Amino acid sequence: MATRYHIEQYCRITNGRISKNGALVFESAETEFSAFIKTAYKTLGIAYSKFFKMDSLSKLALVAADLLLVEEPEKNMALVFSNNASSLDTDRKHQQSIQDPDGYFPSPAVFVYTLPNICMGEISIKHRLFSENSFFINNRFLADNLFDYTNSLLAMQKAEKVLCGWVDFDHGKYDAFLYVVAKNGTFTHSKESINQLYQTI
Amino acid sequence: MTDLKLELKEKIIEQLNLEDVSVAEIGDKDPLFGEGLGLDSIDALELIVMLDKDYGIKLADPKEGKQIFESVETMAAYITSKKAG
Amino acid sequence: MSEIYLSHNNVVSNYGFDSLAAVNEIKQEKSSLQLIDDSQILSKPVCTSRMDTEKLKEAFALLNPRESYTRLEQLLIVSLEKTIKASGVPLNERVGLLISTTKGNIDVLDTQNPFPEERAYLTVLGDKIKDFFGFQHEAMVLSNACVSGVLAIAVAKRFIQQGTYDHVFVVGGDLVTKFILSGFNAFQALSDAPCKPYDKDRVGINIGEVGSSVLVTKNPNALAKESVVVLGEASCNDANHISGPSRTGEGLFRSIESAMKQARISASEIDCISAHGTATIFNDEMEAIAFNRANLQATPINSLKGYFGHTLGASGLIETIVGMHSLHQNTLFCSKGFEELGVSKPLNVIGKTTQKSLDIFLKTASGFGGCNTATIFKKVAS
């Protein structure tokens, strides 16, 4: 079972650096996330009409996914994401808007992002993926459950490929690591290789 | 009225995060939804919040929004009529 | 591949402390929704269903907790304790814990809440539940908007079929909070009166609060009498809009088709549908289109939102549990609040609780982010 599938491609976004399959594709000294991701979005030539309406988690996930999906013809691709902070960064924003009775103006545009799976919805819209989405919460990047779950989706023919990994945004810190699992690819799909790719940035 | 329209355009760009759109690009009569600025259902809800927060106007029926938010001109006319009333 | 069952189950709700407390009242077509005037949660009266705080505290105290637990943790623990006990499954290394929630302890973000903000992290919630019972693995937490409860059953099934676990306890819940109500109110989606799914006068949803749990297992022995087999499941995105339901019911239609394919059954073999039916204009319309595309327009269908309200991360779970009892009791439960069809396509909405021989039901859910799920269950032959 462990050798049946392969990792085709992977990418990482963290600490001002964006890499794809181990090669640096964008770097910035910008320390603030919103400025960093905006420059990355423009430099990498990504086009999505709702980009600037999205919350930070969705911006991070969309840019990471775009690196791997922009030239991907396969549309039967499931999304299996995980993180630690869920949508807490946006949750705090919504809470601020309702905390004080005198300044009580909850925003629908903020509230809609108070769910972690919204970022998978944005990716599905941009890449026309009518496929399965699952969002798991773990206190750190964990290959174990992602590995078993991805194998299950492929074995049960729920998808031809699976885009999976980690997208976390909390207190201004960001970390995305996504990889595509398919029948063929460069690396064996195993817990060891997933962990190794996550470490080699 | 002209000042109000300008103000509305600035607020719409800011509140709805219309990156790369300038005040000059929004005509008074341009449709805000559909073919115009391409706003969607969440933007419509956001405009209802904006009326409340910035102008103290609460829409009794959200369905009214369709006419009010047709263009910057219709929005300005609605706000002016409410203030006069 | 071995069959996967849904077995022992529990619903802690305004109806009482077990599934039958709710099912017996639903059979009598009695809603648990009430109009509550509490400025702590919304500036206007809100129609909702919440567990009585004192009763919950009493039930929780009987479990001898050794520290303080949040309201949501209490709800989840009280429910799960009953399911674990009824199942008799020892919590060894072959047993998993899966939590289905959209917002977890989101109420702790309020500056007036006595618990630390850290408690809002869903893994902290997971640890509290895991440690209370002594599960040997970290809790898995699934947060996938309003489809979480139905999807969690599919997730549990897949982990068992992959050999990760032999049994998975799924526990789901979300609170009625100012956080949630303010958001849905800003979306103009709340109904001031009990909701009316699929009705021509429907105006929106009610939010409700329950704790619920179910054992998902591959062991065909010692099953609860209302157990079901999971025949097929699927989940598909609309790829259309993050909050607006698809106008073609695309994701839901694809989910149903895929679940039927896996179950190897045709639409005519489905005896009844427990749908999402939130009673918003656009959701119910989208569902009607999807069910028609799947050739299910004549199949008896209900929404249980008129009984519990929309219980978010628990909704798919409690509606599945009620569906299990519906099969076992050979009873179609009335779709509370429905009078006259108000969607553009035909649906056979259950207007009155009726006895009927039942074998297979379809459970569906749809949510923000464009997600949809469909799962098909079959009665275990006794």
Side-chain angles (χ1 to χ4, degrees):
Chain A
M1 193 71 105
T3 53
R4 265 182 74 185
Y5 303 113
H6 293 82
I7 296 172
E8 215 178 40
Q9 297 192 74
Y10 63 101
C11 69
R12 182 87 186 261
I13 304 180
T14 194
N15 284 325
R17 292 162 68 92
I18 300 181
S19 67
K20 180 179 170 181
N21 300 327
L24 192 68
V25 295
F26 177 81
E27 192 173 21
S28 161
E30 185 58 65
T31 51
E32 207 214 337
F33 177 75
S34 61
F36 162 74
I37 205 74
K38 181 177 167 177
T39 316
Y41 170 82
K42 297 205 162 171
T43 310
L44 296 169
I46 303 169
Y48 182 51
S49 64
K50 307 270 181 194
F51 188 81
F52 294 101
K53 293 176 181 281
M54 301 195 301
D55 74 342
S56 299
L57 179 64
S58 288
K59 284 178 182 162
L60 176 66
L62 189 114
V63 170
D66 217 78
L67 292 166
L68 304 182
L69 299 185
V70 71
E71 288 167 3
E72 173 65 63
E74 180 58 62
K75 293 295 173 189
N76 186 9
M77 178 180 288
L79 308 183
V80 181
F81 286 13
S82 59
N83 79 4
N84 175 44
S86 181
S87 55
L88 264 173
D89 181 65
T90 304
D91 296 354
R92 292 185 190 106
K93 245 177 230 159
H94 177 64
Q95 182 63 34
Q96 270 174 12
S97 75
I98 59 170
Q99 188 67 53
D100 176 9
D102 295 327
Y104 179 92
F105 291 106
S107 153
V110 172
F111 181 68
V112 73
Y113 286 99
T114 63
L115 292 163
N117 64 297
I118 300 296
C119 68
M120 298 189 294
E122 299 282 16
I123 292 165
S124 300
I125 295 167
K126 179 166 193 297
H127 297 281
R128 307 296 299 155
L129 304 176
F130 297 97
S131 50
E132 162 143 351
N133 300 170
S134 311
F135 207 111
F136 294 96
I137 312 294
N138 291 308
N139 59 14
R140 62 196 182 284
F141 175 72
L142 258 185
D144 302 47
N145 287 344
L146 290 177
F147 174 75
D148 285 346
Y149 195 66
T150 298
N151 282 344
S152 162
L153 290 174
L154 294 169
M156 302 304 291
Q157 295 168 5
K158 290 294 176 192
E160 277 298 310
K161 293 185 182 184
V162 182
L163 174 68
C164 47
W166 177 263
V167 280
D168 197 43
F169 187 90
D170 195 16
H171 292 299
K173 282 195 150 180
Y174 54 95
D175 187 11
F177 168 61
L178 295 180
Y179 55 96
V180 176
V181 183
K183 289 194 180 75
N184 304 305
T186 323
F187 308 92
T188 305
H189 183 230
S190 68
K191 292 175 193 178
E192 294 72 33
S193 61
I194 297 168
N195 280 324
Q196 206 178 348
L197 294 179
Y198 180 65
Q199 299 305 331
T200 55
I201 290 301
Chain B
M1 192 79 168
T2 314
D3 287 350
L4 177 59
K5 285 185 215 164
L6 184 67
E7 183 182 287
L8 280 171
K9 289 174 191 173
E10 283 166 352
K11 281 184 194 290
I12 287 169
I13 289 169
E14 197 202 319
Q15 294 272 325
L16 306 184
N17 294 307
L18 300 181
E19 186 83 13
D20 302 331
V21 174
S22 68
V23 167
E25 288 172 82
I26 308 177
D28 292 356
K29 294 182 189 209
D30 286 357
L32 295 177
F33 291 84
E35 291 299 300
L37 278 182
L39 304 186
D40 71 359
S41 54
I42 300 177
D43 295 314
L45 294 164
E46 206 59 40
L47 290 177
I48 294 177
V49 176
M50 190 175 110
L51 275 189
D52 183 11
K53 191 174 176 178
D54 296 345
Y55 299 97
I57 301 169
K58 285 189 200 299
L59 285 196
D61 180 359
K63 286 189 200 112
E64 284 180 273
K66 205 168 181 190
Q67 278 103 48
I68 299 165
F69 304 135
E70 213 175 277
S71 65
V72 168
E73 189 161 281
T74 56
M75 272 183 87
Y78 179 75
I79 293 167
T80 311
S81 74
K82 280 284 163 184
K83 280 187 170 168
Chain C
M1 193 153 280
S2 67
E3 296 203 288
I4 305 296
Y5 306 92
L6 260 62
S7 181
H8 298 276
N9 57 85
N10 172 275
V11 177
V12 170
S13 70
N14 197 14
Y15 286 118
F17 286 92
D18 55 48
S19 304
L20 275 178
V23 169
N24 290 336
E25 295 292 297
I26 289 170
K27 221 169 157 178
Q28 305 299 317
E29 303 182 9
K30 284 183 192 155
S31 173
S32 71
L33 292 165
Q34 296 169 318
L35 202 62
I36 292 176
D37 196 355
D38 178 356
S39 62
Q40 292 293 312
I41 54 171
L42 198 67
S43 59
K44 61 178 187 183
V46 59
C47 185
T48 181
S49 173
R50 296 174 93 186
M51 185 71 206
D52 182 88
T53 303
E54 288 311 309
K55 282 187 195 160
L56 178 62
K57 271 189 190 160
E58 270 172 42
F60 189 63
L62 294 175
L63 305 179
N64 301 312
R66 277 176 282 179
E67 54 176 298
S68 326
Y69 288 86
T70 66
R71 180 180 174 85
L72 179 66
E73 288 157 8
Q74 292 182 27
L75 264 172
L76 299 181
I77 290 170
V78 168
S79 176
L80 186 54
E81 195 270 341
K82 289 176 193 292
T83 298
I84 294 173
K85 201 184 216 172
S87 74
V89 171
L91 302 185
N92 59 30
E93 78 287 350
R94 298 299 303 155
V95 178
L97 168 63
L98 173 60
I99 297 173
S100 161
T101 186
T102 64
K103 297 312 308 160
N105 288 315
I106 197 66
D107 52 330
V108 306
L109 289 191
D110 193 305
T111 52
Q112 289 175 16
N113 189 292
F115 286 93
E117 201 220 61
E118 188 215 15
R119 205 74 158 219
Y121 285 86
L122 297 179
T123 52
V124 177
L125 169 71
D127 286 346
K128 291 290 171 191
I129 310 292
K130 167 195 167 250
D131 292 341
F132 186 92
F133 294 102
F135 279 91
Q136 297 194 10
H137 296 275
E138 274 182 41
M140 299 178 282
V141 183
L142 179 73
S143 184
N144 221 86
C146 301
V147 309
S148 302
V150 186
L151 187 59
I153 292 165
V155 169
K157 176 194 163 202
R158 291 164 185 174
F159 277 115
I160 294 171
Q161 286 184 330
Q162 277 297 304
T164 318
Y165 302 107
D166 292 336
H167 315 273
V168 174
F169 285 95
V170 179
V171 58
D174 267 299
L175 297 178
V176 170
T177 54
K178 186 175 174 181
F179 186 100
I180 288 295
L181 292 175
S182 61
F184 278 101
N185 195 44
F187 256 86
Q188 316 278 349
L190 290 182
S191 165
D192 298 336
C195 64
K196 299 176 72 64
Y198 311 110
D199 192 85
K200 69 173 179 38
D201 294 327
R202 70 185 186 277
V203 289
I205 64 174
N206 310 128
I207 302 291
E209 176 179 294
V210 300
S212 61
S213 50
V214 68
L215 169 67
V216 184
T217 178
K218 67 175 186 181
N219 182 7
N221 304 310
L223 293 174
K225 57 189 186 318
E226 64 273 17
S227 295
V228 290
V229 180
V230 186
L231 291 184
E233 26 69 26
S235 180
C236 298
N237 199 287
D238 286 328
N240 174 58
H241 194 267
I242 54 167
S243 64
S246 156
R247 286 181 195 277
T248 56
E250 198 59 40
L252 180 56
F253 168 68
R254 287 177 185 237
S255 301
I256 296 168
E257 290 279 292
S258 171
M260 288 202 299
K261 190 177 156 207
Q262 188 179 24
R264 294 191 187 148
I265 61 164
S266 62
S268 63
E269 290 171 81
I270 294 172
D271 294 312
C272 55
I273 306 167
S274 172
H276 193 47
T278 58
T280 66
I281 300 284
F282 295 112
N283 173 78
D284 292 9
E285 176 65 17
M286 177 282 286
E287 286 185 74
I289 291 166
F291 289 129
N292 274 266
R293 286 181 68 187
N295 210 15
L296 289 163
Q297 64 276 12
T299 308
I301 184 172
N302 68 18
S303 157
L304 297 170
K305 300 293 190 291
Y307 297 99
F308 300 98
H310 188 347
T311 56
L312 307 173
S315 64
L317 212 50
I318 56 166
E319 289 159 11
T320 297
I321 290 169
V322 174
M324 291 164 65
H325 288 269
S326 165
L327 291 191
H328 178 65
Q329 301 192 4
N330 289 304
T331 308
L332 293 172
F333 296 133
C334 162
S335 192
K336 185 88 184 161
F338 175 78
E339 289 168 274
E340 196 179 323
L341 193 70
V343 289
S344 69
K345 297 275 187 281
L347 283 179
N348 182 10
V349 185
I350 304 165
K352 195 173 180 310
T353 294
T354 323
Q355 291 287 311
K356 196 186 174 212
S357 175
L358 304 173
D359 193 35
I360 293 176
F361 86 101
L362 165 69
K363 173 74 206 119
T364 67
S366 303
F368 274 178
C371 47
N372 302 272
T373 58
T375 305
I376 298 168
F377 303 95
K378 185 181 191 324
K379 199 192 270 184
V380 174
S382 51

